[in-house]
Amino acid sequence: MKLDTSSPRSLGPLPEVGPLAFGHWRFVGHDVRTATHLIETALDLGMNLIDTADVYGLDWGGEGFGDAESLLGSVLAASPELRERMVLASKGGIMPGIPYDSSRRYLTEALDSSLTRLSVDRIDLYQIHRPDMFTHPEDLAATLTEFLDAGKVAAVGVSNFTPSQTAALVSYLGDSVVSTQPQFSVNHLEPLRDGTLDQAMQLGLRPLAWSALAGGALATGHNIRTELMLEIDALAARENVDRTAIALAFVLAHPTRPIAILGSQKPERLRAAIDALSVSFTRTDVYTLIEASEGEALP
Ligand code: NAP
């Protein structure tokens, strides 16, 4: 039986989004015209979830914190109609040198700074980028409730949380938590086995898969098991699509109906990714990919 890769995704109270999202980790160094074209391309393709973070733009020299949000803010200031077409997701809670802070004082300043940089009065999905293990989840829930009550955010999510960290926050915040953002690809299968995706189904959280192409490695094959690339290429030939469509379809086929966040900054690669939605996968296909990725026959 064919596995569904193409249906729209709900995100709690937010408008439905497409199964592919446009990520902004690498959304730096563009002029506003190029940046606008990229966002228009993504939106036209149905990639209406835009995933950024306050820390995106930071370079190895420690400069650039906030730059990806500021660039998106410049685009929105010049073309305000684009705001209505997107579900805007951002993240806070990482500050190099601390490195994680989810205290009320820190996050309140971080959120206000994000809103200013983005030139918006509301972030649709505000995600805690990495868990701060030295903030009690009850305190974090109180902070996020303040953000929701003030209308500064419409829904909240977590990223890189263990299932138990997510459960602790949800125990205080309930269904205001609508998403979880793990690293997940056919080359990085931990969420399938560590409880992250099971919990997402149990609690109704939408997984947002980051580095769904393993940072581009699943396109080039660099540092990927040869057996996995051979299986990907065989399926790509059968489905008449490229490798990246097969890798993305693997993520999309999971019953949590994940959203795969694309990192490419090339319009033609965003366009090509749409082929993932027409891939026809069976269970045998996905288990063959898992075996090739893990290098072990499944029992
Ligand atoms: P990705 O889609 O796995 O990788 C994107 C990279 O792959 C880009 O450098 C892109 O280069 C390259 N690429 C894509 N297609 C290619 C092809 N056909 N041939 C060669 N190279 C190709 O995603 P990612 O950028 O690592 O992450 C995606 C998003 O996930 C980020 O933007 C961010 O929103 C989110 N993220 C979240 C976290 C977190 O902690 N929550 C961490 C990392 C990322 P080009 O630009 O040249 O196409």
Side-chain angles (χ1 to χ4, degrees), residues 177-220:
V177 184
V178 302
S179 65
T180 182
Q181 186 171 144
Q183 182 177 8
F184 179 45
S185 71
V186 68
N187 189 54
H188 188 98
L189 297 170
E190 276 84 342
L192 274 181
R193 302 198 192 274
D194 70 4
T196 299
L197 296 182
D198 300 325
Q199 179 187 53
M201 291 184 279
Q202 186 182 9
L203 299 180
L205 306 178
R206 183 70 55 200
L208 275 58
W210 66 261
S211 289
L213 294 178
L218 286 165
T220 61

Side-chain angles (χ1 to χ4, degrees), residues 18-23 42 46-51 208 259-263 270:
L20 298 171
F22 182 34
M47 302 172 188
N48 57 332
L49 177 68
I50 306 291
D51 181 71
L208 275 58
I259 294 163
I261 313 174
L262 301 174
L270 297 181

Side-chain angles (χ1 to χ4, degrees), residues 22-27 51-52 56 91 94 127 129-130 159-160 181-182 209-217 219-220 242 244 248 261-266 269:
F22 182 34
H24 278 199
W25 182 23
R26 304 168 197 269
F27 187 73
D51 181 71
T52 188
Y56 291 170
K91 316 181 194 75
I94 298 181
Q127 302 157 99
H129 206 153
R130 285 196 177 264
S159 180
N160 304 300
Q181 186 171 144
W210 66 261
S211 289
L213 294 178
T220 61
D242 73 12
T244 61
L248 293 170
I261 313 174
L262 301 174
S264 178
Q265 301 297 306
K266 296 206 164 67
R269 287 184 178 159

Side-chain angles (χ1 to χ4, degrees), residues 259-283:
I259 294 163
I261 313 174
L262 301 174
S264 178
Q265 301 297 306
K266 296 206 164 67
E268 65 275 18
R269 287 184 178 159
L270 297 181
R271 279 187 214 104
I274 290 296
D275 284 349
L277 308 186
S278 59
V279 167
S280 199
F281 266 167
T282 63
R283 280 178 176 70

